[in-house]
Structures are given as structure tokens and as C-alpha cells.
Amino acid sequence: MRNTEKAIAGQRFATEVRQDLFKLLLESSDDLEGYTSIVTRLGDPYLKSTGPDVAAVIVQCCVQEESFNVFYCRLLLRFLLSADRKSSGHNDGAASRAAGISNLQIGEELTASEAIGATFNRFFKKALQYALWDKFKQLRVGTLGSPSSSGVDIVALTNLGFLLTFLLGQGVFGLAVLRGLDLDDRIDRNTGLFTRILVLRLSCELSPERLTGLFFGADLSASEDKAHDMNIDTKPLRKTLRKFVASYFLDEIELKKWLPLLQEVVAHRTPFQNVVTQDVSALAQLKKRFIVVERALKEGIA
């Protein structure tokens, strides 16, 4: 009990609701128990009074883990796959899908038919987007990580990058979610490091086809939004991101400076985990994926 209270106090949550959510997560043995306990304790997590708190606490806990924990991905996906009650009026099919993902592994995608047809809860998706953007703000000002630490923690950067890779890979969000990073020609050090982690993880984990769809802007697996909202102008984002990829991923001299420092951790449990030290052919394949990303950004839908 004392350890639980100490952990809650260390998070510095502003409300009792968030403290309760954190305690429920600590006491959950798996994502199904976590989902059930949150819904039982707080009621409908898609109401404006609780949804943002649920998303924010799950993201914060994920970022602050000592190593990336797929538990939070599974838990978020359960909430996301619950039907949009305002538009559909029922949730039987979505609930059955949510109940069936307890064995989902890191890097495992929905099947093609599930991904293209999946309807993510719109309100919870929006709440999750704002929770991610809050972390992007903390990233820029150097406060991302444990509340008791100073500066940006590389583990927190990696955890956030892995979480976002999972959400992009599952089609929850399209490229437009990266607008929250406020990328421009003067990218700060922390944002630059995070962007390298994210692009590298995406390149290692997603197939070339998925990479093309994501960065081109016509990814049919990105829920009902088809990955690209024509009402959102992503041209400035795409232009800046393309320049970033060309500078850090396609420039051989620059790539050799940072890739050996990040690849073992960022490429963990992917076919490219040892590309720098052992597998020359795998490194060549990875570089081809970097080219795929740059070309998709250049030729894609703005």
C-alpha cells in the first residue's frame, strides 16, 4: 500500500480521477483487467469528463516505463475499438474485436480486412491525439519523462516513439498527427532526436507497402479517415519532414554519426536489430526503406 501511495504521489497528478486511474493500472494484471476496471470504476470512458483523463494517464504511464510495455498499446486499442456511440448507436461488433486483442504483440498489425474496416471511437481518438500532443510539448521544453527527473530521458523518448509507431502502424492516426511536433526548419535538439527515433522505428517495423501508404497519404488502413484528411494541409509538415529525412537518413556521413548509437535499442525485436554491427545486407535493405519514406513524402498527397 505504501509503495502504491508513493508511486501515485510521484506522478504529481492534478486530479483524484487521474490518481485513481493510475492506481487501477498498477493493480491490473493485463489489458483486459485494466479496461474492465477502468470502465467499472469511472463509467463511460468516452464522456468528456473522463475520456481525456483515461488517454492522458495511459500515455503518461507508457512513457515513464523503464522499457517499452505493449500492455499500454493493447489497452488503448481496446478503448479505440469500442464503437463511436454518437454515430453508430451500438457497440457489439467493436466490443467483440476489443475483447479479442489480449494476445496482440508489439509490431503485430490488424489483418487487412480489420484495418480497412475498423472504426475507431472518434472521441477517444481525439482525446488520445491531445494526450500525445501534450507529450510533444513536454518534449520541446525538455520535461518529457519522470516528474522527478530533469531534462529529457532517452527512455521516455523511445517509449513515446514506439507507442506512436504502434498507433500509426495500426492505422489509428495518419501523418497529420505529427503536426503536434511543430516541425520547422529550426527543429530543436529534443524534437530532432525524437523524430529520428520515430522514423527509424517506423522504417524497421512497418513493411515497405505500409511505409509508402503512411507517408504518401493514401493509407487505406488508417480507420475511417483513410490516413489523410483533405481538410488538413500537411504540405508544410511533409516538406519539413522530407528535408529532415534527406539530411539525417539519406546522407551517409550524417547517418553514420547517429545510427550506431540508436539502432540496437530502436530496432529492438525487428529484422534490423543488428544492421550496423553484423548484417550488411539488412543495412542495405533498411537504407532502401529510408528512400521509400523520402520519395513518398515528395510525391504524396499534401
Side-chain angles (χ1 to χ4, degrees):
M1 180 64 71
R2 289 183 179 180
N3 291 336
T4 300
E5 293 177 352
K6 183 178 179 180
I8 294 174
Q11 296 300 313
R12 302 176 185 175
F13 288 120
T15 66
E16 291 186 5
V17 171
R18 296 197 176 191
Q19 292 177 7
D20 288 343
L21 282 167
F22 179 70
K23 184 177 180 180
L24 290 174
L25 292 180
L26 285 180
E27 296 173 347
S28 299
S29 60
D30 57 30
D31 56 293
L32 178 57
E33 181 180 347
Y35 176 85
T36 303
S37 60
I38 289 174
V39 173
T40 301
R41 173 67 177 83
L42 298 180
D44 192 337
Y46 312 111
L47 297 177
K48 291 184 179 180
S49 59
T50 55
D53 290 319
V54 172
V57 171
I58 294 175
V59 170
Q60 178 166 328
C61 289
C62 178
V63 169
Q64 293 179 4
E65 285 279 358
E66 294 182 358
S67 61
F68 185 68
N69 190 343
V70 73
F71 161 80
Y72 301 105
C73 295
R74 296 167 175 160
L75 184 57
L76 286 171
L77 202 55
R78 286 190 181 277
F79 287 114
L80 287 162
L81 285 175
S82 294
D84 189 334
R85 299 183 182 186
K86 291 183 179 180
S87 62
S88 66
H90 64 278
N91 65 352
D92 292 344
S96 64
R97 289 201 302 273
I101 64 169
S102 60
N103 293 322
L104 187 70
Q105 300 298 317
I106 179 76
E108 180 182 347
E109 300 176 5
L110 295 168
T111 65
S113 59
E114 288 176 324
I116 293 175
T119 298
F120 298 111
N121 181 281
R122 294 179 181 177
F123 178 76
F124 192 79
K125 178 179 173 180
K126 182 64 68 175
L128 178 56
Q129 174 182 301
Y130 288 140
L132 291 170
W133 284 6
D134 283 343
K135 293 304 174 188
F136 293 166
K137 292 178 183 178
Q138 294 176 19
L139 171 67
R140 289 194 298 274
V141 300
T143 59
L144 182 68
S146 172
S148 60
S149 65
S150 58
V152 172
D153 183 353
I154 186 64
V155 175
L157 284 175
T158 303
N159 287 343
L160 181 59
F162 280 29
L163 175 62
L164 191 52
T165 295
F166 177 86
L167 295 171
L168 290 168
Q170 294 291 338
V172 176
F173 295 111
L175 197 63
V177 73
L178 299 184
R179 290 177 301 145
L181 281 174
D182 289 337
L183 297 174
D184 55 34
D185 292 333
R186 299 179 300 277
I187 299 176
D188 63 88
R189 181 178 179 182
N190 294 333
T191 303
L193 177 56
F194 171 75
T195 306
R196 272 176 280 172
I197 290 173
L198 177 62
V199 174
L200 178 57
R201 184 66 185 186
L202 286 167
S203 300
C204 290
E205 187 168 309
L206 302 188
S207 67
E209 294 77 17
R210 293 285 287 109
L211 279 174
T212 300
L214 174 63
F215 287 99
F216 184 84
D219 186 358
L220 294 180
S221 65
S223 74
E224 70 277 9
D225 299 322
K226 299 293 188 293
H228 183 76
D229 186 340
M230 298 303 295
N231 295 319
I232 299 176
D233 181 13
T234 60
K235 186 175 181 178
L237 169 65
R238 302 173 65 82
K239 181 179 178 180
T240 303
L241 194 55
R242 182 194 168 203
K243 290 174 62 177
F244 184 89
V245 171
S247 297
Y248 285 98
F249 290 82
L250 301 187
D251 186 315
E252 289 285 347
I253 296 177
E254 193 65 36
L255 185 64
K256 290 179 180 178
K257 292 180 181 179
W258 66 267
L259 185 59
L261 303 176
L262 295 179
Q263 64 89 26
E264 186 174 353
V265 174
V266 178
H268 184 56
R269 292 186 179 180
T270 75
F272 303 100
Q273 183 167 338
N274 300 311
V275 293
V276 173
T277 58
Q278 298 179 14
D279 197 334
V280 177
S281 62
L283 179 58
Q285 290 297 318
L286 183 58
K287 289 180 179 179
K288 288 182 179 179
R289 294 191 178 199
F290 298 157
I291 295 174
V292 166
V293 170
E294 192 273 339
R295 289 180 177 174
L297 286 168
K298 177 182 178 180
E299 301 173 4
I301 302 172

